[in-house]
């Protein structure tokens, strides 16, 4: 039997409201906290390709690890996403805080309004370190940090990627990323320049 996933909701100024189920949060378009972590190694960034089995945004590219915070969790607890999705056990102290970015994704009457708490983790990373949660993550690809910044700023149409497990090379377009607001990606580009 599935247990309901409860999430703390907020107003637009990040003042706490009530706890709601995840389904209600998206049905009603309520603000909530999420944790995002980009893995960066010198001049490259790791992206996750979401599993084809995902309910939302299947097979699209996204931040290396991310997820919703449960009602009883703190921001620091979000680091569990690295272990759940990628098999990397880390503490919040191992990461570098970037910013909190307000982001809205709306598809029909499904509305995702997030306070994304953006962090960065610096490598080196070896493919042997990763154990992917296959129902969440299909694979990880590396991309030039410079190219990714240019893509997020709208200065190039494609970036070149390499699958860290198979070595397969592929060019991907901005439309192949999870449809966060342009502002989210622009803010991440600014932050990546400082890492």
């Amino acid at each position: 039997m599935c247990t309901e996933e409860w999430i703390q909701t907020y107003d637009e100024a990040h003042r706490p409201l009530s706890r709601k189920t995840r389904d209600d949060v998206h049905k009603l378009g309520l603000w909530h906290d999420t944790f995002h972590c980009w893995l960066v190694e010198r001049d490259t960034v790791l992206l996750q390709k979401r599993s084809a089995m995902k309910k939302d945004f299947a097979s699209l590219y996204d931040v290396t690890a991310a997820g919703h915070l449960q009602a009883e969790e703190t921001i620091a607890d979000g680091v569990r996403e690295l272990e759940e999705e990628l098999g990397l056990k880390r503490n919040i102290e191992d990461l570098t805080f970037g910013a909190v970015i307000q982001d809205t994704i709306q598809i029909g009457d499904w509305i995702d309004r997030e306070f994304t708490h953006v962090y960065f983790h610096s490598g080196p990373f070896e493919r042997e370190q990763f154990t992917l949660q296959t129902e969440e993550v299909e694979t990880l690809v590396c991309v030039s940090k410079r190219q990714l910044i240019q893509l997020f700023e709208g200065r190039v149409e494609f970036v070149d990627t390499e699958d860290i497990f198979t070595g397969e090379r592929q060019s991907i377009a901005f439309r192949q990323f999870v449809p966060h607001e342009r502002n989210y990606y622009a803010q991440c580009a600014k932050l990546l320049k400082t890492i």
Side-chain angles (χ1 to χ4, degrees):
M1 186 164 88
C2 281
T3 58
E4 290 274 23
E5 189 175 349
W6 289 87
I7 293 175
Q8 178 67 50
T9 67
Y10 299 88
D11 67 14
E12 199 167 345
H14 204 241
R15 291 182 292 247
L17 297 174
S18 59
R19 294 174 177 208
K20 298 280 187 191
T21 66
R22 182 174 177 146
D23 285 346
D24 282 345
V25 164
H26 294 136
K27 202 179 297 176
L28 301 170
L30 301 172
W31 289 100
H32 56 284
D33 286 322
T34 59
F35 173 88
H36 289 200
C37 186
W38 297 88
L39 270 53
V40 181
E41 182 176 347
R42 289 191 214 102
D43 298 327
T44 62
V45 179
L46 290 177
L47 305 173
Q48 79 162 247
K49 183 176 185 186
R50 294 166 65 90
S51 168
M53 297 182 280
K54 290 285 288 179
K55 179 180 171 188
D56 307 318
F57 314 120
S59 299
L60 294 182
Y61 292 89
D62 202 1
V63 56
T64 327
H68 288 68
L69 294 176
Q70 305 301 305
E72 69 283 355
E73 290 185 308
T74 66
I75 303 306
D77 293 324
V79 76
R80 70 172 163 72
E81 294 292 343
L82 288 167
E83 185 170 10
E84 289 175 5
E85 294 185 355
L86 310 178
L88 291 180
K89 187 159 179 60
R90 298 293 188 270
N91 297 311
I92 198 73
E93 295 80 19
D94 299 325
L95 311 182
T96 301
F97 174 70
V100 179
I101 305 170
Q102 286 181 259
D103 181 40
T104 299
I105 301 173
Q106 183 167 358
I107 299 172
D109 51 2
W110 183 90
I111 306 167
D112 190 18
R113 287 197 171 99
E114 300 182 357
F115 290 99
T116 61
H117 298 261
V118 179
Y119 286 82
F120 296 87
H121 184 36
S122 297
F125 302 107
E126 300 295 333
R127 66 180 179 212
E128 295 78 18
Q129 292 177 269
F130 298 105
T131 306
L132 303 185
Q133 184 182 22
T134 54
E135 61 270 20
E136 294 279 335
V137 182
E138 180 179 317
T139 195
L140 295 173
V141 299
C142 60
V143 60
S144 153
K145 184 166 74 168
R146 180 184 54 78
Q147 277 192 13
L148 190 64
I149 289 167
Q150 290 175 338
L151 183 77
F152 288 173
E153 292 177 339
R155 295 190 287 131
V156 297
E157 293 184 33
F158 297 91
V159 291
D160 298 320
T161 68
E162 182 177 339
D163 188 299
I164 71 164
F165 301 104
T166 67
E168 180 186 354
R169 294 175 184 268
Q170 182 181 2
S171 289
I172 59 173
F174 186 76
R175 71 179 180 279
Q176 292 173 269
F177 282 76
V178 170
H180 295 287
E181 290 180 311
R182 268 288 181 178
N183 178 61
Y184 169 82
Y185 286 114
Q187 293 299 314
C188 287
K190 282 184 186 173
L191 293 167
L192 281 165
K193 289 177 183 179
T194 70
I195 300 298

